[in-house]
Amino acid sequence: MSLESRKLLTIVTEAALEHEVTVEIQRLGAHGYTVCDARGKGGRGVRDANWSMSANIRIEIVCPAATAEAIAAALKERYYDNYAMILFLSDVEVLRPDKF
Amino acid sequence: MSLESRKLLTIVTEAALEHEVTVEIQRLGAHGYTVCDARGKGGRGVRDANWSMSANIRIEIVCPAATAEAIAAALKERYYDNYAMILFLSDVEVLRPDKF
Amino acid sequence: MSLESRKLLTIVTEAALEHEVTVEIQRLGAHGYTVCDARGKGGRGVRDANWSMSANIRIEIVCPAATAEAIAAALKERYYDNYAMILFLSDVEVLRPDKF
Amino acid sequence: MPTLDPVVLFFLLGLTAGLLRAELRLPPAIYDFLTVLLLLAIGLKGGVELAAHPFGALLPRMLLVVLAGILLPLAAYPVLRRGGGLARADAASIAAHYGSVSVGTYAVAVAYLGYRAIAFEGYLAVFLVLLEMPAIVVGIVLARGLGRGVQWGAMAHEVLLGKSIVLLMGGLLIGWIGGSEGVAPIAPLFMDLFKGVLALFLLEMGLIAAGQASSLRRHGLFLVVFGVAMPIASAAVGTGMGWVMGLSVGGTTLLATLLASASYIAVPAAMRLSVPEANPALSLAASLGVTFPFNILIGIPLYHRLAEFTQRLGG
Amino acid sequence: MPTLDPVVLFFLLGLTAGLLRAELRLPPAIYDFLTVLLLLAIGLKGGVELAAHPFGALLPRMLLVVLAGILLPLAAYPVLRRGGGLARADAASIAAHYGSVSVGTYAVAVAYLGYRAIAFEGYLAVFLVLLEMPAIVVGIVLARGLGRGVQWGAMAHEVLLGKSIVLLMGGLLIGWIGGSEGVAPIAPLFMDLFKGVLALFLLEMGLIAAGQASSLRRHGLFLVVFGVAMPIASAAVGTGMGWVMGLSVGGTTLLATLLASASYIAVPAAMRLSVPEANPALSLAASLGVTFPFNILIGIPLYHRLAEFTQRLGG
Amino acid sequence: MPTLDPVVLFFLLGLTAGLLRAELRLPPAIYDFLTVLLLLAIGLKGGVELAAHPFGALLPRMLLVVLAGILLPLAAYPVLRRGGGLARADAASIAAHYGSVSVGTYAVAVAYLGYRAIAFEGYLAVFLVLLEMPAIVVGIVLARGLGRGVQWGAMAHEVLLGKSIVLLMGGLLIGWIGGSEGVAPIAPLFMDLFKGVLALFLLEMGLIAAGQASSLRRHGLFLVVFGVAMPIASAAVGTGMGWVMGLSVGGTTLLATLLASASYIAVPAAMRLSVPEANPALSLAASLGVTFPFNILIGIPLYHRLAEFTQRLGG
Ligand SMILES: Nc1ncnc2c1ncn2[C@@H]1O[C@H](COP(=O)(O)O)[C@@H](O)[C@H]1O
Ligand SMILES: Nc1ncnc2c1ncn2[C@@H]1O[C@H](COP(=O)(O)O)[C@@H](O)[C@H]1O
Ligand SMILES: Nc1ncnc2c1ncn2[C@@H]1O[C@H](COP(=O)(O)O)[C@@H](O)[C@H]1O
Ligand code: NA
Ligand code: NA
Ligand code: NA
């Protein structure tokens, strides 16, 4: 079984941004994404998900390194100053490189 | 503290497959698994989790590389053609190698 | 875009521990964390999340390697014997090293 | 009396909101909850009625109904294969959807008759349970042929112990054991709130139906035509059966609606696992995107007229 | 008659539990569900009343209400800028919150009048819908200026197709089409359970309000003063308008409460996306942490006295 | 009058579905919601009754009840240690479960009396609150000894501010302040729907109880015997106390049921955190897998007979 390496970009941010961010990442070349509901704590304090304004989402994108870095740069530029958001990249192996 | 390396296999697929896939991966040697509810978008379109037929799940399995690749191969073989499914592998370190 | 490497510590454990563990990890130096609801199976059997006592949570912490290992050691010491819990570490890259 | 029952207006509200991509969705947990309430309520009602009936007298009718549940999908299959040029698995899966029934549609018909104070034989809820299953088996056989690598055990489990069967059957039994007196204490939740719960359920159904629009556009005209023609044909059969069984106008309307309805709970789940190569987008576009709206907006009043007409002939 | 309505006691229960960090939270899905029920119920009630009214006669009043929804935030803005020394975006966002309305507060006022069997003009629910939107537009213009890089299209969509507008409007339409007779079958859920649902909603609101305490402490006294003074001022305006419109005591109380209330559903969501640099902690601390409790505990009874007083003057 | 109340049939439905591994589960959010509704409803009812009682007169009885809540687990502990050969922590934890109470069991008993129109002293809901806590403290002391590294502060918080206490107490207070008149407007949700909500709750309880079957098989016979014998013994004590307090047949039945019931909400959570080395599978298998079903199927009718019997002796 041949495995090829890709990047996994994980974004944790405010639930209010789900629509906007998923549109943005596709515009920047992501072929797909996965979203989970989340809560947490960070520089902008506790986000306990007790109601929509305090809920987080966790978005994962498997894509080529270049795309991952392009998305990361764009999101940092656009959201870091005003929104609760973190993102991190890691290396993953996939079965269908063409797909991602 | 001694850390040993293992593989983390992450599967994102249709919620309808939860029972079938969790049985299958244990048959193939996984000692455990973790499931989260998810939604997302991919080659088979948007899966918004608004109802059972459009919901995704995200399954994680920590196991030896060999097991991870065996599971990956089996799932690809059995599900890729007919189901919304992706999977990817990454390297992780664990405290109790015997456990995984 | 400059990326620096950090550790991602992932903990899967009983939902009942959410408060205790999140307090503990901050005491040990985590600047933030992300929690998702989860279910799964492991050495302590099936945890199907059908009610609070059988629910799991999945906690992620991005931090320096030293902090990650300190937290891992402390959690192992305190919880492994009596609670359903696993944890694993992986390498990630972040944009704002100072933040984590 | 408004021409459209309020509960149906909730469906239109959800449909419109969905098509306009409004910021509106019910949490999945709530949708599940509403489904559970509807299934139990329908079961309970049927069970209470059943308690007042000699079970034996129903047996022949029950067999007749099961027969219809087997023959209708068998009849639909060639139409889908030849007429629609669909792949074997897709034709089989869609046939199964239309051979089975929709609880939501049944509930709307019950509400429709309720608004108009039209009586009906309450034991029809039993037919709802009976019709849920046979079509699934037929669909799998159509797709797989007999035997060849079908795990009948797993399938039987899947079908007999699916959510809708368990809750409908459970409700039936509890209603049957308790009778109207025994059910009275829980009636405020299961009976009095029935139409309100149905309204919320239809709001969500509208949102989900709107989600089918895109695949409907992609898979084109045939599904639309089939999604309208098939229920009308099935309703005709149902009306005839109602006449044969000597059902009231209300009962005949309800039986016609039952046969005309297409499943979107039990069958999609079963087909997804037992006939993987069938594309769920096709069957859901037809049953949720076309037939469900058609039945609750146009079908039910139509089947009502039909029932009245046959009665006049009969009488 | 207790001095505090039971539903308000549920708010205090939630608030206390929250401040004591008790092990208590309603699942978010339930909170959403309760919100949907309240929005639909209020819309339905309003629609039924509307059905009994000549729409034309309402138009001038509706324009007057929209005018208030535009002018109040414009009046609040300079106060927030100068008085509070707040940044432009924060002042604009808070102004928008107070120019818009709170469904929960309106519901408590309706319950308050209900307990005391005080009649009111049911069509005020229409004002609730009308007041939801203008303040959002005003807030964005205050923050961005006209044109300069505002995506009006996206914003209009955001505002007009937000959850609360869609459900309130939908409820209004369904109630208006169905009339009291058509709504009767769903009344057990939407009308009879209204106060109980409101009680649970307020329990959760108390928990959420308690969550604002910390940011309130951080952002200090000004927000508290503004959060009390602004609703009183708005209520005074509302009372005057009620007098001009010749509303009953109940109607005047309700209109005053509407203007006095600050949004925490539609506006925060819209501001978060359209005015990102505004700190949501500030606006929510004021509207949820100060104004909402003030209105339901002290404000509504106060506005009621005010309405009675003006009526006596009037009469 | 069916021999089994319908609500109990819902438990059997859930239990059967669970044991047959049917495709059935209520969303956790709904289970939480139903629990909240039950706790508040029971509290409200108790509070309304309390409003009609001189509180002072209850104090001695309340002390007696708390005493029972302390002594019963102390009596159970040695039995579990010696008889069951259980580890100290496990024996302590199980003792705590049986010293505390089960809201679901209490609700079923209330429904049982309701069906049979048997009156009872409403203030027994106060005993429910009182019995929730002491056993937890006793359990921790049994496991840890006094002082030695117990964080009493954290524990007190855990116990006093747990979900069930807060909601029961809150309901009691609101019902007590509002009285029957004040609670009337929210009665449609909290009173009229009570038995329906209980039915759904029991459906889920059945599914959860079924989940205990495996660990029950593993941990064998002793738990089954204890899970049946302990409630009978506690019920006997409760019946005696009811007789001493001069309670009615209904009240005595209810008090016996209270003592006979074993906790599965407050205690498991508290023990998990305060006595980590106790295996929750053991205590839950006994309290959920054996005692809960026993009480609602056989126990309550049995305790009812017992109460009637003692009354005849007494009178
Ligand atoms: N060090 C961290 N590890 C894991 N998740 C984090 C961390 N910091 C922040 N987060 C998540 O990212 C969200 C936004 O972070 P922030 O912008 O720092 O408030 C938080 O609510 C957490 O869910
Ligand atoms: N590139 C991607 N990155 C992250 N998740 C993805 C990606 N592609 C697909 N997914 C997830 O996998 C599911 C199935 O993918 P697909 O089979 O391509 O439709 C989607 O619904 C997404 O949740
Ligand atoms: N090999 C594994 N891979 C992924 N998740 C696991 C694995 N083993 C255990 N888990 C998760 O960790 C939880 C506790 O594990 P345990 O303490 O082994 O029962 C389980 O309920 C699973 O959710
Ligand atoms: Na059919
Ligand atoms: Na306002
Ligand atoms: Na007890």
Side-chain angles (χ1 to χ4, degrees), chain F residues 37-55:
Chain F
L37 284 174
L38 284 184
L39 290 164
L40 284 172
I42 289 171
L44 284 167
K45 277 184 183 163
V48 169
E49 298 283 343
L50 214 54
H53 266 77
F55 196 74

Side-chain angles (χ1 to χ4, degrees), chain F residues 73-104:
Chain F
L74 287 176
Y77 179 70
V79 178
L80 291 155
R81 277 291 264 165
R82 310 238 165 52
L86 292 172
R88 177 175 182 175
D90 290 321
S93 167
I94 297 178
H97 280 71
Y98 281 82
S100 184
V101 288
S102 147
V103 177

